[in-house]
Amino acid sequence: MMPAGYATSEGGALLVIAVMLPIVGMIAIFALGLRRAERIAFIILPGGLFIALAIAAEVARTGAAVTYVLGGWQPPLGIALQADGLSATLMVLTALILCAVGLFARGTFSTPPDMSEARRPMVFWTLMLGLWSALNTVFLGQDLFNLFVALELLTFSAVPLVCLDGRRETVQAALRYLLFALIGSVFYLLGAALLYGAYGTLDMAGLRLQAHYNPATSVALGLMIVGLMAKAALFPLHLWLPPAHAGAPAAASAVLSALVVKAPFFLILRLWFDVAPQPGNQLAAQMLAWLGIFSIVFCSIIALRQVRLKLMIAYSTVAQIGYLFLVFPLVMASDAPSAWQSIGWTGGVLQLVSHALAKASMFLAAGLIAEALGHDRIDNLNGAVTAVPISVAAFGLAGLSLMGLPPSGGFVAKLMLLTAATETANWWIVAAILVGGILAASYVFRVLGRAMAAPKIGFKTLAHIPLYRELVVLGLAISAVVLGFVPLQPFAFLGIGRVGLP
Amino acid sequence: MIGTATVYGLCASGLVAIGLYGLVLHPTPLRKVIAFNLLGSGTFVLFGVAARRGGAAGFLADPVPQAMVITGIVVAFASTALAVALLLRLQETGASSIETTPPEQQDNGAS
């Protein structure tokens, strides 16, 4: 029952460093004194970015997945870590966004000079690092149980970030988030137990070789995917997300919306394409896409009706996650030589990346607007453009990507999905993408219109925002726009190291 | 004659069912946390069944699921601790349920 067999590749140690570096930072914070939390985080952040880039470069150079077999033990006894093109892309994305958010949060979460230590900065920076390690493990893990632990680590890091300020609503939101996440984890674990019972291994490569259609496999995969859906906040399991993401401090919201909800989606992709017997179940693919369509339409409409800016952005996150789930029927029905070369696959991944950049920028911009104005009620945003002009511009640019207007990463992603949907004659998906774009335009312009309006008499800004913080937000928005200049074709890099399934 | 593994399998299903029922339908958060633990225990028993059935292949019992159960218990313990800590915190703020007030009524969420 020995599966394909892994061999540690040349740069394999990089993968271990990618997982361990943030953990070392966390330990250092506890060992060297809590008041140095920020300084330690600022040593780890560029280091982690460098490691992520090195892994991506190694994958691009060798044209194959980078693998590390822990302790030299082959699965099913041991655990392997592997970075393919997709994982490497997501790791670089994670590192970039965390560095940007770190820069943004610099100063807001530092220990006051008159105190020896403070709870908020210590919790913020340690949890950010914990989150990073968990995300890297999710992207690299090859063992379903190892991935369960990574998911839990992610939840434990994300939940306290929601209630950093300790207000009642945020604690309620955090608790609800935790309960949803726990249901998700238990479902995932149940599925893993069933798969182990059926195949005697939890290694993805091993499962891929053996998996065939039988009731146990279907139930197990169904449980796991539903559990992950709750964590990824796909309609109708999205109820926890808006209060949680809107209640967190801006820097935390950005990371939660941009990265944390993408990890369970990534695992659904892996389960679907790397574990489930091929070809996948057409009915299940259609169901996932339909839930995606409902997410897009309903949550965009609810976003339109929001009074608070951050809640609007949070609902927009649920809507944009819906687009990701359109990928399944599009990839399956395409006539590309392999799933990784189809336009639907590239479109889906690009949507993930561009949404992460745009949404991080949007939440940070909303945070700066709220700091400058002292509130985030959309009807009362008049004058925001005079207070924080660069943030409003960044909000607009990021909005461009969410609507799918050219030139932006969102435009290319949605165009690719649209092309794939037309090619495969999935007309409902075509309609949903178009309607979703119009709705997104409505909610973004509603905010912009208010923010651009002339300030009321007696308007004054509450806080002075340092220029570099606004520039970080603009930088994220611009990178979302720059993604719009990539060629409109499937990227070979995203297919590197993926097993060639029909 | 029903085999041991089957009995334990049925036990596991029962625990999962009770736990899921409680987690979804009980309104009080503390009961939800306890229900989550029942659900978790059901899952761990299921791993035990997998270990026993793997043992039928010639080993006395398959040790891998047992290692997983130990990790799982640690994780479940940590989740319970986190949930209870949040519950205590919620109690301090004077709320007793997780029903959130509609966002329109919150005065200031800007941060």
Side-chain angles (χ1 to χ4, degrees):
Chain A
M1 196 177 46
M2 195 60 68
Y6 293 94
T8 298
S9 46
E10 211 178 307
L14 285 174
L15 307 183
V16 181
I17 301 176
V19 173
M20 285 313 295
L21 190 66
I23 301 268
V24 169
M26 284 173 87
I27 295 171
I29 289 177
F30 285 108
L32 299 178
L34 302 178
R35 61 169 299 118
R36 294 200 185 84
E38 188 180 270
R39 231 175 301 160
I40 293 168
F42 271 89
I43 298 171
I44 302 293
L45 282 170
L49 178 62
F50 175 76
I51 297 290
L53 288 173
I55 291 173
E58 183 71 13
V59 171
R61 186 180 66 83
T62 52
V66 178
T67 315
Y68 188 86
V69 188
L70 290 177
W73 291 90
Q74 285 290 334
L77 273 185
I79 293 172
L81 299 175
Q82 194 168 57
D84 52 23
L86 180 61
S87 321
T89 313
L90 294 182
M91 285 175 73
V92 173
L93 174 76
T94 305
L96 278 176
I97 289 184
L98 282 175
C99 285
V101 169
L103 271 179
F104 173 90
R106 211 181 120 228
T108 47
F109 287 105
S110 48
T111 313
D114 52 337
M115 284 166 77
S116 67
E117 56 193 53
R119 189 181 57 91
R120 253 166 68 96
M122 184 278 280
V123 172
F124 178 79
W125 292 110
T126 36
L127 290 182
M128 278 297 179
L129 293 177
L131 207 84
W132 197 359
S133 175
L135 282 168
N136 279 346
T137 318
V138 168
F139 297 145
L140 294 175
Q142 295 296 313
D143 181 274
L144 292 181
F145 190 80
N146 191 19
L147 288 170
F148 162 74
V149 177
L151 273 176
E152 290 297 81
L153 191 58
L154 191 63
T155 306
F156 296 163
S157 310
V159 168
L161 280 176
V162 169
C163 57
L164 261 186
D165 60 1
R167 280 179 300 122
R168 182 195 295 177
E169 307 88 70
T170 59
V171 178
Q172 282 171 327
L175 195 58
R176 200 198 295 201
Y177 177 15
L178 181 64
L179 287 173
F180 265 91
L182 289 182
I183 297 181
S185 320
V186 172
F187 272 41
Y188 179 91
L189 194 60
L190 262 178
L194 288 177
L195 280 183
Y196 191 89
Y199 299 110
T201 178
L202 285 178
D203 176 60
M204 286 196 177
L207 283 172
R208 181 165 49 225
L209 291 179
Q210 302 176 55
H212 52 269
Y213 277 111
N214 58 20
T217 316
S218 305
V219 171
L221 288 173
L223 282 170
M224 293 172 99
I225 289 178
V226 170
L228 291 167
M229 266 163 52
K231 282 173 177 272
L234 183 65
F235 181 90
L237 300 172
H238 67 281
L239 295 170
W240 60 267
L241 187 143
H245 285 193
S253 311
V255 176
L256 293 176
S257 251
L259 301 171
V260 173
V261 285
K262 304 294 163 51
F265 173 74
F266 173 79
L267 283 188
I268 296 181
L269 268 188
R270 302 274 336 246
L271 284 178
W272 189 270
F273 291 108
D274 292 353
V275 174
Q278 297 293 328
N281 186 326
Q282 192 67 44
L283 184 68
Q286 288 292 344
M287 269 168 62
L288 284 174
W290 270 104
L291 291 178
I293 292 176
F294 284 132
S295 278
I296 296 172
V297 177
F298 283 137
C299 294
S300 297
I301 292 174
I302 301 176
L304 256 180
R305 299 170 45 89
Q306 290 308 308
V307 181
R308 310 289 299 273
L309 182 56
K310 283 185 83 180
L311 266 171
M312 186 211 89
I313 306 177
Y315 272 105
S316 146
T317 298
V318 186
Q320 296 287 323
I321 285 169
Y323 284 97
L324 300 176
F325 285 86
L326 303 179
V327 168
F328 299 99
L330 300 185
V331 170
M332 283 175 59
S334 82
D335 47 8
S338 83
W340 327 123
Q341 287 159 31
S342 74
I343 202 150
W345 166 260
T346 312
V349 176
L350 199 57
Q351 162 71 13
L352 198 165
V353 174
S354 66
H355 172 254
L357 292 167
K359 197 44 72 70
S361 168
M362 240 182 189
F363 261 122
L364 297 182
L368 288 183
I369 292 174
E371 267 181 50
L373 300 188
H375 69 85
D376 72 339
R377 280 180 296 277
I378 297 176
D379 286 337
N380 237 341
L381 285 181
N382 308 33
V385 75
T386 47
V388 275
I390 304 180
S391 305
V392 174
F395 189 93
L397 285 177
L400 216 59
S401 187
L402 291 193
M403 296 176 228
L405 282 185
S408 69
F411 166 69
V412 178
K414 278 154 200 161
L415 190 63
M416 281 183 173
L417 288 173
L418 206 58
T419 316
T422 333
E423 269 175 10
T424 55
N426 279 300
W427 303 113
W428 284 107
I429 295 183
V430 174
I433 294 176
L434 295 175
V435 172
I438 296 170
L439 288 171
S442 325
Y443 61 68
V444 170
F445 281 125
R446 179 171 159 238
V447 173
L448 283 180
R450 282 287 165 192
M452 301 283 206
K456 291 188 178 134
I457 301 159
F459 171 84
K460 66 178 197 314
T461 31
L462 283 186
H464 174 70
I465 309 291
L467 182 65
Y468 79 90
R469 292 183 74 197
E470 287 206 89
L471 287 180
V472 168
V473 182
L474 188 65
L476 281 173
I478 288 179
S479 25
V481 169
V482 166
L483 273 182
F485 294 102
V486 298
L488 272 174
Q489 57 192 24
F491 305 140
F493 185 74
L494 293 178
I496 290 179
R498 317 240 11 120
V499 181
L501 294 167
Chain B
M1 184 67 193
I2 308 175
T4 337
T6 317
V7 173
Y8 278 104
L10 288 173
C11 271
S13 328
L15 280 173
V16 167
I18 298 169
L20 197 57
Y21 176 86
L23 196 50
V24 175
L25 289 175
H26 270 305
T28 32
L30 187 60
R31 281 175 186 260
K32 280 184 190 284
V33 174
I34 293 170
F36 159 74
N37 276 285
L38 274 180
L39 187 51
S41 310
T43 315
F44 301 146
V45 174
L46 198 63
F47 268 107
V49 174
R52 183 69 198 168
R53 287 182 50 203
F59 306 112
L60 200 54
D62 182 357
V64 177
Q66 306 188 3
M68 293 183 200
V69 168
I70 293 172
T71 318
I73 289 173
V74 174
V75 171
F77 172 74
S79 347
T80 311
L82 182 58
V84 171
L86 280 174
L87 267 176
L88 284 173
R89 184 75 210 204
L90 196 59
Q91 205 93 58
E92 281 169 22
T93 65
S96 56
S97 81
I98 50 171
E99 292 310 314
T100 34
T101 37
E104 291 79 28
Q105 291 165 23
Q106 297 170 15
D107 48 349
N108 193 359
S111 49

